[in-house]
Amino acid sequence: MGHMKKYRCPQCSSTHSVIGYGRRKQVLRYFCKACHHHFSYNPCFRDTKAILSDHLDGFSFRTLARKYDISPMNAWRICEEELKKLPDNNQFTFQYCNRFSQILVCDGKYFNVASQPYDWVLLWGFDYFRHDIPVILVAPAESYASWAKFFTYFRIINNYPRLVVCDDNVNEKMAARAKLAGVKIQACYNHFKENIRRTLKIRSDETYRTFMHRVEDVFVGKRADEDRNKRLFSLFQEYQSDPACVAVLMNIQKYSPELLAYRGIPAAPTTSNIIEGMNSHIEARLHSLRSFQSPTHAKLWFNGFILKRRFTPFTDCRGKFKHLNGKSGVQMTKKPELVLPTLFS
């Protein structure tokens, strides 16, 4: 004659006082006579990694509950437990990856935290040629201290990019120069042009739209010095009597070292479009979450999301990145002698 399996009470750890207390769908209910605590146990196998993978792909807890026939709270518990089992992204990079390219595209993505009065930010960098994400940092703001900590991680993983592509964030650029010896800063053309549009109020005032169109023409492609200087000088001759236009042209000349930092580095980008596209992916995922309850939960989720992104094979790379299709970012940067662990189903 068989014996009923003894389950341990999660409240008092007793096994002798636990008795059966019915069934709710596939869930078995139990009662502890020692501490009068009710608890349940589901004997059916549940693929918790698949649940986490769906959650990181944008499924809300209510959607997960309907798909896997569990409660939303149970879905939340499963996701939290699985996120805690994942390795830290930066430590994972240190242990498994060392084949990075020389170009890093950086940006910050702000998100809402319910328990905080201000939005927090994800600081992260995208390896341009490998499409991997070696380092991330969740911080309260894009301060110099936060960016300095972010770039310090690159010294720990022994990766020193030659070129950092970013927007016009003073703290970010100062921290990169301080922590990455000899690094060149490439200003994103799109962000630089957008700053000019805001200064001249292009969207609300037509006065400088013709001038702006000609300025944008200067930033089309990677022009030679002769061609670039000829166009800028032509603009100066035509608009030298307008202080606003002269100020813009002088600012372009002032930022020339950062606007032309790509020179000498083959196939270097002049925009941060590659990471801006990833920011839109994150925004789509965050839409179903709405906000995080605390910075701790945000760090767990972003760590899981980035690791999932690194392990997901690319499917729609084009042009010079077409060879990456079918491969994942972490496969492109992992140490040749190591075998990657299975983190997701």
Side-chain angles (χ1 to χ4, degrees), residues 3-22 28-41:
H3 297 279
M4 185 185 76
K5 183 179 179 179
K6 294 291 186 179
Y7 291 101
R8 186 181 301 277
C9 174
Q11 187 78 11
C12 65
S13 300
S14 172
T15 56
H16 300 290
S17 303
V18 174
I19 62 173
Y21 205 74
L28 302 178
R29 298 283 296 167
Y30 292 94
F31 175 70
C32 179
K33 295 188 291 184
C35 65
H36 302 283
H37 178 70
H38 294 83
F39 64 97
S40 60
Y41 175 75

Side-chain angles (χ1 to χ4, degrees), residues 237-283:
Q237 285 185 314
E238 186 171 344
Y239 293 94
Q240 59 183 323
S241 60
D242 192 319
C245 295
V246 172
V248 168
L249 296 174
M250 292 180 63
N251 197 48
I252 294 175
Q253 191 64 28
K254 175 184 175 181
Y255 279 89
S256 288
E258 293 183 4
L259 294 172
L260 305 176
Y262 65 86
R263 292 181 175 177
I265 303 178
T270 57
T271 68
S272 59
N273 289 349
I274 192 169
I275 201 169
E276 292 294 342
M278 288 297 298
N279 279 338
S280 63
H281 291 175
I282 293 181
E283 186 63 33

